[in-house]
Amino acid sequence: MAEPATRALALSMGDPAGIGPDVALACYAARKEWQTPPFFFIGDPDVLLARAEALGLCVPVRGCEPEQAVSIFDEALPVLPVTCISPVVAGAPDSANAGAVIEAIEAAVSLTRAGRTSAVVTCPIAKSVLYDAGFAFPGHTEFLADIAARDGRGPYHPVMLLSGPKLNAVPVTIHIPLKDVPAALTPDLVYETCTITARDLRERFAIPSPRLALAGLNPHAGEGGALGLEDDAIIRPVVERLKAEGIDAVGPLPADTMFHDRARATYDVAICMYHDQALIPAKALGFDDSVNATLGLPFIRTSPDHGTAFPIAGKGLARADSLLAALQLAERLATASAGETR
């Protein structure tokens, strides 16, 4: 029988006008049936109450300190209040609330770094809304790395892992235009991404000897130089270096033959060269239950692998599968990191 959790997960609200509140409420409402790990919501309690009413959910909400969250989780959804300064309308994002969104993320990280919570789970943000308020980062991942580096021990190299029941995939370059990928793709970047991935799969995911499959950048992995030189000049030498250091790595492989069932059985993680090369197969193979986990940070962070979905916010149409998977993965990684057994 599982031991009860001693620390709750910190769940930041994301954009309050999106489906973050919807799926958080759903995970709590079905906590017994779904075996939802104890979490507390960092966000505006009034938003939760209004959204619960709109969705027809009877969810009691109680403000508390993080240390109290586990003990009250059966009775009420624990909340660490962060107030939105502008009225929140489901489906209508407002940059006036960007400060509250950022404050919730920073609080989740701060509490986890202080050992008051076990891991960070983030609901989706709308970067365009945050940009309007002066947000200076390409995305959630880069912002989390910046927060982590405030301890003076950085910089940290965040690695995005899309983890699903059928595929683990990592993009080497993330939130940059496709036209900029070849220039950004350096041997050092590919190597560092691979070594961080291998280390965290060993230490956090309990895979003793992770098998890495590196995708080529160009069609047919460059076709011996006929379709581009990057595969032989950048990726292949990294594979050889990884092998020499005892890391199980193959590639560069043609990306169009890497993701069918037989191919996926030969590796533990696909290392992809750009955003969509990783996210298209990851979402095609596990749209509702894949999780975005950030590797390379000094704390555990997971997130549902979907966006804010403003058009369906507050309408009872959002599926909570991915947030549930993110919460469960965060608990599993936190338990492993603490050396506990469940």
Side-chain angles (χ1 to χ4, degrees):
M1 184 174 180
E3 294 291 331
T6 57
R7 293 180 296 163
L9 303 166
L11 176 65
S12 62
M13 67 176 172
D15 193 299
I19 64 170
D22 303 43
V23 294
L25 288 163
C27 284
Y28 180 80
R31 62 196 179 282
K32 294 181 180 179
E33 176 186 356
W34 292 355
Q35 297 185 324
T36 305
F39 69 90
F40 69 96
F41 187 86
I42 305 178
D44 196 320
D46 291 338
V47 171
L48 281 178
L49 291 170
R51 197 67 58 85
E53 183 178 0
L55 297 171
L57 295 174
C58 182
V59 174
V61 171
R62 186 183 303 175
C64 72
E65 291 298 314
E67 292 81 2
Q68 301 170 303
V70 172
S71 63
I72 71 171
F73 192 71
D74 282 345
E75 303 170 7
L77 173 53
V79 177
L80 186 68
V82 173
T83 302
C84 295
I85 63 172
S86 181
V88 174
V89 177
D94 186 346
S95 60
N97 289 322
V101 174
I102 292 169
E103 182 183 348
I105 299 168
E106 292 178 327
V109 173
S110 176
L111 292 167
T112 301
R113 300 293 309 271
R116 299 178 67 188
T117 66
S118 59
V120 175
V121 183
T122 57
C123 285
I125 60 173
K127 294 183 285 291
S128 60
V129 177
L130 299 184
Y131 294 156
D132 290 342
F135 187 71
F137 301 91
H140 231 144
T141 303
E142 295 85 355
F143 181 45
L144 288 163
D146 180 79
I147 298 173
R150 295 175 191 174
D151 66 3
R153 288 176 284 178
Y156 296 97
H157 181 138
V159 172
M160 178 190 291
L161 169 69
L162 282 301
S163 179
K166 295 182 180 179
L167 175 68
N168 290 322
V170 165
V172 175
T173 61
I174 307 177
H175 298 116
I176 63 173
L178 185 59
K179 66 181 178 62
D180 296 336
V181 169
L185 205 63
T186 65
D188 285 345
L189 177 61
V190 178
Y191 173 77
E192 188 172 9
T193 301
C194 290
T195 54
I196 289 170
T197 301
R199 181 198 68 203
D200 279 15
L201 288 183
R202 285 195 305 270
E203 296 180 358
R204 291 183 175 176
F205 286 74
I207 301 175
S209 183
R211 300 168 297 167
L212 280 58
L214 281 71
L217 172 66
N218 297 296
H220 303 173
E223 196 77 76
L227 298 177
L229 302 176
E230 293 88 355
D231 299 280
D232 287 336
I234 297 172
I235 303 169
R236 195 176 305 280
V238 171
V239 172
E240 296 307 316
R241 180 180 178 185
L242 294 170
K243 288 179 178 179
E245 295 178 2
I247 295 176
D248 188 343
V250 296
L253 304 175
D256 61 350
T257 58
M258 279 185 59
F259 300 107
H260 60 80
D261 292 347
R262 293 193 308 279
R264 295 197 314 276
T266 66
Y267 60 81
D268 297 302
V269 61
I271 306 294
C272 303
M273 297 303 120
Y274 54 92
H275 184 278
D276 284 9
Q277 192 180 58
L279 271 71
I280 288 174
K283 292 188 176 184
L285 290 166
F287 188 79
D288 291 316
D289 48 13
S290 287
V291 176
N292 180 350
T294 305
L295 311 180
L297 297 180
F299 54 88
I300 293 163
R301 180 263 180 156
T302 66
S303 178
D305 186 25
H306 57 67
T308 52
F310 292 123
I312 64 171
K315 297 180 179 178
L317 300 175
R319 293 187 56 159
D321 308 57
S322 188
L323 177 59
L324 176 64
L327 291 164
Q328 291 174 335
L329 177 59
E331 185 197 36
R332 178 162 65 87
L333 296 181
T335 299
S337 294
E340 300 171 1
T341 57
R342 294 285 175 96

